[in-house]
Amino acid sequence: MVKITFIVGLIVLGFLAAKFLDEKSQKKVVIGMGIVAGIAFLSLVVSELLR
C-alpha cells in the first residue's frame, strides 16, 4: 500500500511541475509520465502476484 501511495504522490508532483512548462513540452512530459506510471503500476502488480 505504501508503494502505491508513493507512486501516486510522485505522479501528482510530476503533473504539478509540468504545469510550468510550455504546451509542446508539457504534452511530451505528460505522455512520458503516463508511460512510466503504467510500467511502474504493472511491475508492482506483477511483483505482488508473484509473491
Side-chain angles (χ1 to χ4, degrees):
M1 189 68 182
V2 173
K3 293 177 188 178
I4 295 172
T5 307
F6 185 71
I7 291 171
V8 170
L10 288 177
I11 292 170
V12 169
L13 285 174
F15 280 116
L16 290 175
K19 286 178 23 180
F20 296 106
L21 299 172
D22 63 340
E23 192 172 325
K24 188 179 275 187
S25 297
Q26 191 176 20
K27 281 185 179 181
K28 290 179 184 177
V29 169
V30 169
I31 290 171
M33 284 191 307
I35 291 170
V36 170
I39 292 170
F41 182 74
L42 286 175
S43 66
L44 177 67
V45 169
V46 168
S47 69
E48 290 296 324
L49 288 175
L50 290 176
R51 243 190 244 190

